[in-house]
Amino acid sequence: MAHPSTYRPRPGEIPTDPGVYRFRDKDGRVIYVGKAKSLRSRLSSYFQDIGQLHPRTASMVLAGASVEWTVVSTEVEALQLEYSWIKEFDPRFNVKYRDDKSYPYLAVTLGEEFPRAQVLRGAKRKGTRYFGPYAHAWAIRETLDQALRVFPMRTCSAGVFKRASQVGRPCLLGYIDKCSAPCVGRVDADHHRQIAEDFCDFMAGESTKFVKRLERQMTAASDELEFEQAARLRDDIGALQRVLEKSAVVFGDGTDADVFALADDELEVAVQVFHVRGGRIRGQRGWVAEKEFETVPEVVGHLLQQLYGGEEGESVPREVLVPVLPDDDATLGQWLSGLRGSRVDLRVPQRGDKRTLMETVERNATQSLARHKVARAGDLTARSQALQQLQELLELDESPLRIECFDISHVQGTQVVGSMVVFEDGLPRKAEYRRFIVRGQQDDDGAPATVDDTAAMHEVLTRRFRRYLKDRDEPQGRDEETGRPTRFAYPPQLVVVDGGLPQVNAAARAIEDLGIVDVAVVGLAKRLEEVWVPGQDFPVVLPRTSEGLYLLQRLRDEAHRFAITFHRQRRSKAMTNSALDGIPGLGDVKRKALLRQFGSVKRIRAASAEELVEVPGIGRALADVIQRELTGEPAEPTVNLTTGEIVDEHRESND
């Protein structure tokens, strides 16, 4: 590690303007991104006496090797640039205050010709309107089941919709009047879109007008003695009321707000958010994140920045209620208003219904942190013990904070694949997982030779660490061709392979051949769960009840699962491929016609060109191509009937 004094910039070089700064390590990887109203005062605070810094800050500046900054015009620009860089570089010392959990949303795909209502998770898509998040997907389905009585919009997939259109018969929902069946033309696209927009208005809080409209229609039907129609409308009103009952009314004035509350200790902070739309609680979410040295106002600022940074304007409500105002509340309010396109009120509720709701959210946050602390007490202790035991028993120079595990999967040497899983601080980091297709060496005839486990392990480790060396040497930690951040510039302290001494020696040889000397390699054999070290004739036997062995087993099992999954995908794809696939000019319709005529690929291969031509859609030229592709023999030469010359069909077009 470099001492901060070795790369400390002179105070006169640092501007006093607002801006964003980045710390980089010795490999050029961005390890921290921050913003400041005055770059000079903020950066100077990092280069004081190490003993006066918070332990996490001290670790960051000791891990750094350089610092750079970018001056911007306003604090809002600094906020935007900081968010984009954190999202792009994913620095290891920036705390993430939003959860990684994927919450289900009720989504309406207004960007399609026939909008569809469905349950969606993950990143939000353009042209889709979202409602939620919900705690459970079944809650969304219950809501849809009730609402479709009144708003019979499409919920089927594209495949089901297309199939119904082809056969001219709607699905079950169309027959029971829970879908207007646009697939068979019962309603046109404009009418169906109006149904979808009415449903969105209802879910957005404009519920009263729809209930009153149905009540008027029910009264009119009753006056005209159409009692069956009146009864159906009565049931529709009941369905809408049941939907409304699922979301509690908290405000009578149609308030749109997100209510945040925090509960923290020295290490972590529990976050709870209630999403209020149209005066009703439409969704709730909660999670626990690391807090380290930041104060509650700083946590609130980073929380809002990360939570709303990737959202569309309509996801930002008119009011954001927080327990304390962040230090740069004016800048954040201006930034949120820019995202929404209209004014956003960022404030702390002091009295009334909003303060009462804030207290409810705070109780949820407090209980969430208490539950997490009970589970955390055992988990943190176990992970710390596991890393410490591995360091001691394997005689490592430092604690293996990043461990990578590799496994090979194949069936009798076919479809050979490799997997790489990554654990950091004893926890899986799935974004860093990688899969490898093992190519192997070719024999004298040019055909791929059989690949055994040791050769496959050597190839996978060579490719992984060759990429690490390439990424490490890239300027500024970015790929020269694509400009994207490098992915392998962060090496592990420990490599674990699934296997015994042969696999371990192959992995160690691959790393040594690349000149890497600071990465330890071990193997975990399945039979007796012994740990093999390169160059040693006898394994290291860890205690059966040790946390270190449990961690290695988790790594090995996760790598095995990841490799098996990838191998099954490739094997399934290979089994469904046909020799007819990829023949130029032979599409899906003609391929089905051939199979219908001959029954199998074997009979197609044995058929003559004249027999192939008898199949509808197959001409003489295509028949010759099919024969050539299936038999591997050159097609018969084509003779020009006018000149009597042989036409070379295979010559290049520029001859």
Side-chain angles (χ1 to χ4, degrees):
M1 290 186 179
H3 194 274
S5 60
T6 60
Y7 65 91
R8 175 179 181 173
R10 290 194 296 268
E13 296 178 349
I14 308 175
T16 58
D17 302 315
V20 182
Y21 55 91
R22 294 181 289 186
F23 280 85
R24 294 184 180 271
D25 61 13
K26 60 182 178 61
D27 297 322
R29 188 182 183 94
V30 176
I31 59 174
Y32 186 76
V33 174
K35 69 177 188 307
K37 296 180 181 179
S38 172
L39 287 169
R40 179 177 299 178
S41 60
R42 176 61 61 85
L43 288 177
S44 298
S45 67
Y46 289 105
F47 296 100
Q48 55 180 299
D49 183 13
I50 293 294
Q52 302 298 321
L53 297 175
H54 186 278
R56 183 179 177 89
T57 307
S59 300
M60 187 270 291
V61 295
L62 287 172
S66 63
V67 61
E68 57 192 36
W69 56 84
T70 299
V71 176
V72 296
S73 302
T74 63
E75 296 177 32
V76 175
E77 290 184 19
L79 192 70
Q80 294 170 337
L81 184 59
E82 181 193 29
Y83 169 77
S84 63
W85 276 357
I86 290 176
K87 184 177 180 181
E88 179 181 1
F89 294 108
D90 189 22
R92 55 187 292 201
F93 285 99
N94 279 94
V95 179
K96 298 178 179 61
Y97 287 112
R98 63 171 298 166
D99 62 331
D100 294 328
K101 182 179 178 182
S102 177
Y103 287 85
Y105 284 82
L106 170 56
V108 181
T109 57
L110 294 175
E112 299 182 12
E113 181 183 6
F114 296 99
R116 172 191 177 192
Q118 60 182 317
V119 179
L120 282 183
R121 297 176 182 264
K124 294 186 177 180
R125 307 172 185 176
K126 188 176 181 180
T128 301
R129 192 165 180 186
Y130 292 84
F131 303 95
Y134 288 76
H136 304 283
W138 56 260
I140 302 178
R141 296 188 179 96
E142 284 187 356
T143 299
L144 270 178
D145 184 63
Q146 298 293 336
L148 288 178
R149 288 183 55 94
V150 184
F151 307 102
M153 63 179 302
R154 169 194 164 207
T155 58
C156 60
S157 65
V160 173
F161 187 87
K162 181 179 179 181
R163 188 158 53 250
S165 302
Q166 292 172 342
V167 301
R169 187 172 62 250
C171 62
L172 176 62
L173 292 179
Y175 281 111
I176 63 176
D177 295 329
K178 284 194 172 181
C179 178
S180 55
C183 54
V184 294
R186 286 187 186 173
V187 296
D188 58 17
D190 294 336
H191 187 184
H192 184 266
R193 178 169 293 277
Q194 186 60 49
I195 294 174
E197 292 176 351
D198 287 346
F199 173 74
C200 291
D201 292 341
F202 174 78
M203 292 301 300
E206 301 179 18
S207 54
T208 305
K209 70 176 184 179
F210 294 104
V211 174
K212 289 183 177 179
R213 185 175 68 184
L214 291 177
E215 288 176 345
R216 289 194 301 268
Q217 293 175 358
M218 180 183 65
T219 302
S222 177
D223 293 341
E224 295 177 5
L225 304 182
E226 296 179 358
F227 298 115
E228 291 184 0
Q229 176 67 12
R232 283 194 293 269
L233 292 170
R234 178 203 61 198
D235 294 340
D236 291 348
I237 294 172
L240 292 187
Q241 289 175 343
R242 284 190 292 274
V243 172
L244 296 175
E245 288 171 359
K246 294 181 182 297
S247 54
V249 179
V250 289
F251 304 122
D253 56 355
T255 298
D256 289 346
D258 284 348
V259 185
F260 292 83
L262 308 178
D264 67 313
D265 60 12
E266 294 80 5
L267 296 175
E268 292 173 310
V269 55
V271 180
Q272 286 284 322
V273 189
F274 279 23
H275 301 279
V276 180
R277 299 295 183 270
R280 294 177 177 270
I281 299 176
R282 295 294 184 180
Q284 176 266 338
R285 60 197 297 191
W287 62 92
V288 179
E290 296 179 357
K291 181 170 71 74
E292 296 293 349
F293 58 91
E294 294 188 330
T295 63
V296 173
E298 290 175 329
V299 170
V300 171
H302 284 110
L303 170 64
L304 298 180
Q305 180 187 12
Q306 295 177 23
L307 193 63
Y308 292 117
E311 302 292 334
E312 297 180 357
E314 63 180 14
S315 300
V316 182
R318 287 194 293 264
E319 290 184 80
V320 177
L321 307 180
V322 293
V324 296
L325 287 176
D327 296 331
D328 50 352
D329 58 313
T331 303
L332 272 170
Q334 186 178 352
W335 176 66
L336 291 172
S337 300
L339 289 178
R340 177 178 171 82
S342 60
R343 177 178 171 79
V344 174
D345 190 9
L346 174 63
R347 63 189 182 88
V348 179
Q350 301 295 334
R351 62 184 69 84
D353 293 338
K354 294 178 181 178
R355 181 60 200 173
T356 302
L357 180 60
M358 172 70 74
E359 293 171 354
T360 301
V361 184
E362 287 174 350
R363 285 197 298 271
N364 278 268
T366 302
Q367 294 172 5
S368 175
L369 182 62
R371 292 192 301 269
H372 177 76
K373 288 172 70 174
V374 173
R376 184 188 67 188
D379 182 59
L380 283 176
T381 303
R383 284 192 282 132
S384 300
Q385 289 178 354
L387 296 176
Q388 184 177 1
Q389 288 176 3
L390 290 178
Q391 180 182 0
E392 294 174 355
L393 295 173
L394 301 178
E395 299 179 354
L396 303 177
D397 296 334
E398 56 182 339
S399 181
L401 299 180
R402 179 183 173 102
I403 308 176
E404 296 179 0
C405 185
F406 296 82
D407 187 24
I408 303 297
S409 180
H410 61 88
V411 174
Q412 297 181 348
T414 62
Q415 300 292 342
V416 186
V417 299
S419 68
M420 177 186 107
V421 301
V422 180
F423 275 39
E424 289 191 355
D425 297 328
L427 295 175
R429 188 174 175 86
K430 295 192 175 183
E432 300 289 332
Y433 286 14
R434 293 294 182 270
R435 304 182 298 189
F436 300 85
I437 299 175
V438 179
R439 305 185 182 97
Q441 301 293 329
Q442 292 185 341
D443 57 21
D444 297 336
D445 298 331
T450 303
V451 182
D452 59 13
D453 284 355
T454 55
M457 188 65 71
H458 185 277
E459 178 183 333
V460 168
L461 268 294
T462 300
R463 288 164 58 186
R464 186 265 179 267
F465 282 95
R466 185 183 294 132
R467 179 62 184 271
Y468 154 64
L469 295 175
K470 178 179 180 296
D471 287 357
R472 185 191 64 181
D473 297 335
E474 291 291 344
Q476 306 299 323
R478 302 178 72 86
D479 188 274
E480 289 183 340
E481 296 181 0
T482 64
R484 297 175 180 174
T486 54
R487 295 293 186 181
F488 284 100
Y490 187 26
Q493 285 83 35
L494 176 65
V495 167
V496 181
V497 298
D498 182 11
L501 191 59
Q503 287 82 4
V504 173
N505 288 336
R509 188 171 64 255
I511 295 176
E512 290 174 0
D513 291 345
L514 295 172
I516 300 173
V517 296
D518 56 350
V519 176
V521 182
V522 298
L524 183 62
K526 292 185 179 70
R527 188 169 65 89
L528 298 175
E529 302 290 10
E530 66 264 22
V531 179
W532 289 91
V533 179
Q536 296 188 9
D537 296 331
F538 300 98
V540 177
V541 180
L542 301 183
R544 289 291 179 178
T545 58
S546 70
E547 295 293 341
L549 180 59
Y550 290 160
L551 178 57
L552 291 180
Q553 289 173 333
R554 286 182 59 204
L555 273 159
R556 190 265 317 280
D557 294 343
E558 179 71 353
H560 186 66
R561 178 199 65 79
F562 198 49
I564 284 289
T565 302
F566 186 39
H567 172 71
R568 286 173 178 168
Q569 291 175 356
R570 287 184 54 79
R571 188 176 62 190
S572 175
K573 183 178 180 180
M575 292 176 65
T576 57
N577 284 343
S578 168
L580 300 177
D581 295 339
I583 295 180
L586 189 63
D588 187 54
V589 174
K590 296 178 182 178
R591 184 164 55 245
K592 290 180 179 178
L594 280 171
L595 292 172
R596 192 182 306 113
Q597 178 84 4
F598 294 98
S600 67
V601 175
K602 182 178 180 180
R603 292 183 178 180
I604 298 174
R605 183 181 289 111
S608 64
E610 288 74 14
E611 292 173 329
L612 293 176
V613 171
E614 294 177 1
V615 178
I618 305 296
R620 179 54 190 254
L622 181 56
D624 291 340
V625 173
I626 294 172
Q627 276 195 324
R628 183 171 67 251
E629 294 290 335
L630 292 182
T631 63
E633 298 177 357
E636 296 180 0
T638 302
V639 178
N640 190 316
L641 299 179
T642 303
T643 63
E645 296 179 351
I646 295 178
V647 179
D648 184 5
E649 294 184 341
H650 311 298
R651 64 185 181 185
E652 297 181 357
S653 59
N654 58 356
D655 283 351

